Amino acid sequence: MKLAVFASGFGSNFSALLEAEKQKKLSAEIALLICDQPKAKVIERAVNESIPYYCLSPKDFPSKAHFEKQLVQILEEHEIDLIVLAGYMRLIGSTLLEPYRNRIINIHPSLLPAFPGRTSIADAYYANVTESGVTIHYIDEGIDTGPIIYQEVVAKKPDDTLEAFESRIHSVEHAIYPTVLEKIIQEGETNEKTSVN
Ligand code: GAR
């Protein structure tokens, strides 16, 4: 089972997944990083761990379809089975979605459908919620929509700073993303065996 991680920024979830692979808690190979931001910290992480990476921006292509066609070609060349979004701040279009439907998973730092988008932790914090959380879901055409696989509630304490709340949410992400992915991989393999027998 070969995974490609897509990320746009800091890459703490990418590192958590790599750590899980090293500790054999994730029975898949993180074979590739796809990044759309040349200055993203996540690229340094890939270089340090000798993970091949591609940095491509849609603005260098005539259309989003051309951009995604190039991504599909890279994914096919590397025989990628599953795409794992980890802070990839771009909507997936049909050119990429169709060949990988039900094989693209996202993590989002809120209890979807509440607080979709790029600033969900701050949005929940300033909305004075008493709890928010983390959602892991399959990708569809929408922004942070698609069938939900798993959600975990994270409390917001009355005296939390935004940073403390953010850090609690990230800790939960780093703990649950590898575990949930491992479960999906195991269930997929069981289903494959059942359908062959
Ligand atoms: C994570 O909190 C992830 O859930 C979020 O971006 C952050 C990336 O952090 N994703 C979204 O908001 C998707 N809509 P990281 O680069 O340190 O892994």
Side-chain angles (χ1 to χ4, degrees):
M1 169 72 67
K2 290 174 89 176
L3 310 190
V5 176
F6 281 38
S8 304
F10 191 58
S12 67
N13 279 284
F14 176 63
S15 290
L17 293 170
L18 284 173
E19 191 53 37
E21 183 193 352
K22 275 189 204 160
Q23 292 182 9
K24 312 235 177 293
K25 291 179 181 164
L26 189 61
S27 43
E29 179 197 352
I30 298 171
L32 201 59
L33 170 73
I34 301 281
C35 183
D36 60 340
Q37 301 294 336
K39 292 187 178 150
K41 172 94 181 159
V42 69
I43 294 179
E44 274 173 48
R45 297 179 191 260
V47 171
N48 288 341
E49 298 290 335
S50 308
I51 305 288
Y53 77 90
Y54 292 82
C55 187
L56 285 87
S57 170
K59 65 177 183 343
D60 298 327
F61 292 82
S63 70
K64 182 163 181 155
H66 284 86
F67 166 64
E68 291 195 337
K69 216 169 163 190
Q70 178 71 55
L71 291 179
V72 170
Q73 196 184 319
I74 293 169
L75 295 166
E76 285 174 352
E77 274 168 16
H78 287 264
E79 299 176 325
I80 296 300
D81 302 296
L82 197 65
I83 298 174
V84 174
L85 308 187
Y88 185 67
M89 298 304 186
R90 202 170 282 287
L91 208 60
I92 305 288
S94 57
T95 309
L96 179 55
L97 192 56
E98 285 317 322
Y100 288 91
R101 198 171 274 281
N102 298 323
R103 293 194 292 149
I104 312 180
I105 294 166
N106 184 39
I107 189 160
H108 183 79
S110 76
L111 293 176
L112 290 171
F115 306 111
R118 289 162 175 257
T119 54
S120 24
I121 301 179
D123 293 347
Y125 181 85
Y126 291 115
N128 282 323
V129 295
T130 54
E131 58 181 34
S132 184
V134 177
T135 302
I136 295 171
H137 65 101
Y138 289 105
I139 281 290
D140 67 7
E141 290 78 0
I143 299 176
D144 300 319
T145 56
I148 290 174
I149 302 164
Y150 182 78
Q151 290 189 301
E152 189 152 316
V153 171
V154 178
K156 176 174 168 279
K157 297 178 183 167
D159 58 349
D160 264 349
T161 58
L162 174 58
E163 291 69 29
F165 180 52
E166 198 159 25
S167 151
R168 193 174 309 115
I169 288 189
H170 287 315
S171 298
V172 170
E173 290 192 311
H174 302 158
I176 67 172
Y177 212 9
T179 313
V180 171
L181 285 172
E182 178 61 14
K183 199 158 179 279
I184 293 166
I185 291 164
Q186 295 297 342
E187 280 169 5
E189 284 177 3
T190 310
N191 291 345
E192 244 171 57
K193 279 185 196 137
T194 318
S195 63
V196 167
N197 292 338

